Amino acid sequence: MNLDHVFPCGDPALDFAATLRARRSVRFEMFVSPDRLDAWYLESGLVDAVIPSRESDVERAIEVREAIYALVSARLAGQEYDRGALAVVNGAARKPPATPQLTPAGRWTEASSEEVLSTVARHAVELLSGPDVPLMKECGNPECTRVYIDRSRGMRRQWCGMESCGNKLKAQAYRARKKQAQASAAR
């Protein structure tokens, strides 16, 4: 399987919300087709097989994703939840979730898009009502809008992931220091 999605956030609901990247600048939508949505479901590890999604499933997934992001953002800002976002997430969570089955080969989960979306919404409910709330942080990269769970020692993690944002910002800071040192030496 070719992995196209990344999962640096520490919770499936946060990784799902992060599928619209760079919300404050040039937005990058990951769910451009039913195939891309199905790929996320599979790559997330929430299911082993998914019944192929339709365009309406993508629209519903984006609606739930945006509601999750609104609730997470409100929680980070210490604001009240938007009632519409609550209704969307709770409505999705009320649907039957993806249900694992025991097979001779082990655990196997096949689900519809609606069932996987219910599972994601349930993760959001658990996250936003659970003990990890104080560990949620937004990435320190101003271009990135991912929120992640900081389980690092001393809660000093600054980026959603070193591969994506951390290395990029460290390289930028290094180049800026080098440029400044060269400018100072030239004087």
Side-chain angles (χ1 to χ4, degrees), residues 162-178:
M162 273 308 285
E163 316 76 47
S164 52
C165 293
N167 285 339
K168 190 182 305 177
L169 289 177
K170 283 185 167 194
Q172 285 174 353
Y174 172 77
R175 285 192 298 272
R177 283 192 310 272
K178 191 172 179 180

Side-chain angles (χ1 to χ4, degrees), residues 16-17 19-20 23 29 31 61-69:
F16 194 72
T19 59
L20 177 60
R23 291 171 180 266
E29 175 63 65
F31 297 154
I62 288 172
E63 179 186 26
V64 171
R65 178 195 64 202
E66 292 309 300
I68 291 170
Y69 186 78

Side-chain angles (χ1 to χ4, degrees), residues 5-21 23 30-31 40 43-46 65 68-69 72 120 123 127 146-149 157 160-161:
H5 298 282
V6 295
F7 302 88
C9 300
D11 185 276
L14 294 177
D15 286 316
F16 194 72
T19 59
L20 177 60
R21 305 250 174 89
R23 291 171 180 266
M30 298 298 292
F31 297 154
W40 190 93
E43 291 171 27
S44 72
L46 293 174
R65 178 195 64 202
I68 291 170
Y69 186 78
V72 167
V120 170
H123 276 281
L127 171 67
R146 286 186 187 131
V147 175
Y148 62 91
I149 303 295
R157 185 171 156 191
C160 61

Side-chain angles (χ1 to χ4, degrees), residues 177-187:
R177 283 192 310 272
K178 191 172 179 180
K179 189 175 183 179
Q180 175 131 19
Q182 288 172 343
S184 294
R187 287 186 214 157

Side-chain angles (χ1 to χ4, degrees), residues 122-163:
R122 289 168 184 235
H123 276 281
V125 169
E126 291 301 319
L127 171 67
L128 292 168
S129 64
D132 286 342
V133 168
L135 305 179
M136 289 191 321
K137 286 184 178 177
E138 187 174 68
C139 183
N141 178 352
E143 295 294 313
C144 183
T145 53
R146 286 186 187 131
V147 175
Y148 62 91
I149 303 295
D150 183 0
R151 289 192 174 92
S152 67
R153 240 168 110 171
M155 286 191 58
R156 293 183 170 195
R157 185 171 156 191
Q158 297 175 356
W159 306 289
C160 61
M162 273 308 285
E163 316 76 47

